[in-house]
Amino acid sequence: MGSSVFPVDDYLGFRCPAVTGSNVIYVDAQGMVMRAFKEQRYMSQFVYLYRMTDAARQEAMGTPERAQQNMQRWMAWMTDLDKKGHLKDRGQPLERSGKVVRGQQKTVTDGPFTEAKDLVGGFTLIEARDIDQAVDLSRGCPILEGGGSVEVRPIMKMDM
Amino acid sequence: MELSEHLFRRESGRLVAALTRIFGVHNLALAEDVVQDAFCRALEVWKVRGIPDNPSAWLMTVAKRRALDIVRRERTAHTFAPELSRVLESEWTLAPAVEEAFAGSTIRDEQLRMMFSCCDPRLPEEVQVALVLNILCGFGASEIASAFLTSRAAMEKRISRGKKSLASSRRLFDLADAEFAPRLSAVARALYLLFNEGYHGASPEAAVRIELCQEAIRLTMLLLDSPQTATPETQALAALMHLHAAKLPARIDSAGELNPLLEQDRTRWDARLIADGLALLDRSAEGSVVSAYHVEAAIAAVHATAHSVEETNWDAIVNLYDRLMGIAPSPIVALNRAIAIGQRDGPEKGLESIHAIADRDRLRRYPFYPAAIAELELRQGNLAAAEQYFSAAATLARSGAERRFLERRVREVSEAHRHHVAPTMH
């Protein structure tokens, strides 16, 4: 039996879903495993940008009881992503206030809330096979129930 | 980490109370905005960073910081709590004053003052109850509206009317006020109504109604927490609520169907609540005043300690109803007394007592008035009369559960009528 130990989910298919850490298999076809391992290392990363209008944000809060239910749905969704190994980084929430610096004049305005209707309220870093899977995973996001949106953007790959 | 049940709703009442202490009751809307903002923040931060170890403390810290910001920024333009105006002016005392407003004992006292302010006798009772549910229990207008089967718009109007009156009072009710005793009665009455709404109310959802009962008990226990408001009458009210709440698991079954007292599976009664209720009733016996709550709690205690309908001391119950008629007479009390007489002396005497109720025309719309007559007629073997009265009762039902229960009785009786046998006696 082989000499290497790699955490690989499904090396035979040459499609490696996220590393779960639990699936460790011994393989003797050295080169094949290396390839699988490599693919897995380059599993794609995506950013979820959470967008919501102020009105939708207030509505999602609604009453304290609704806020709590909303929170529980978020926690469940995040936990599920994490368990399946898709959660690379929980990310950060963003303040809704800030400044926008623009043009050669470097004019500074309060923003972006004066201009954009739905603001980015935070982001999360996701690992997925491809954009289709990343989009699929986002369907469970509770922000969608509250009229917000998830923008799914691939992180640019720099294969050098 | 899991969020404890109703954490946000509970914290809402506490935080609004603390913030009102700083901002003044005329800025109640500002206090509510700060709480809303803290919840929004919690939603955004917790969902990515996880729930903190002490969520209550986290929310409190956010609210405190926001309060400090607001006072610093607006203290020249705005007047905040008149009682704290000097303290809030100086940076030396501002932070300690804000800290103090969020101390456990202050929050408790401010919740009490808020409760007393909501129960202003100049406001109709339904407005008082709506205010308590909104401000102290953190229920939204839509949730209260669904519990009371009114429209959200109507409930919003009711709440905003109450808040306008609160805001115009400039400061919260002072528990040292000369009006303390009558106001405590108004508070007890509002909590009693709140509990009743949960117990008998219109909402078809059992969960909603149990929550109303729990909130009524929580706020009554808050009254018992403070020596000034922990009067024998308050103890009796708490006893009454505990003894009734003990029956809730058997009163409404898992399908949301109503089971009347005489048919309940008594093994499903909550023994812990009964024990607490009896202990509270014991403590309420201090002092010389016997209030309606005392008598009602005593009646509930007789039921709660009886293992079956047959073993119930109906004589004691009739005597207690006699006493209640002396303190707080009403046709509903008289009807309950008549039912107890029916249990003690037989259906004929029960019917006699019902027909002797002085102002029984006030029970015209009360479904359990014809239902009680029907039960007694049934026990006398008058199936036709029983069927007719049950049918009349079913048309008066105020909720789906009541209607389904009464229609079931109509079916049972008409079935028996056809076969000339009486259904099981209840």
Side-chain angles (χ1 to χ4, degrees), chain A residues 56-75:
Chain A
R57 179 177 182 255
Q58 289 292 325
E59 191 57 28
M61 191 9 245
T63 67
E65 201 69 356
R66 288 237 306 279
Q68 180 145 353
Q69 287 159 2
N70 192 4
M71 167 85 67
Q72 269 150 352
R73 279 196 291 274
W74 271 95
M75 301 308 293

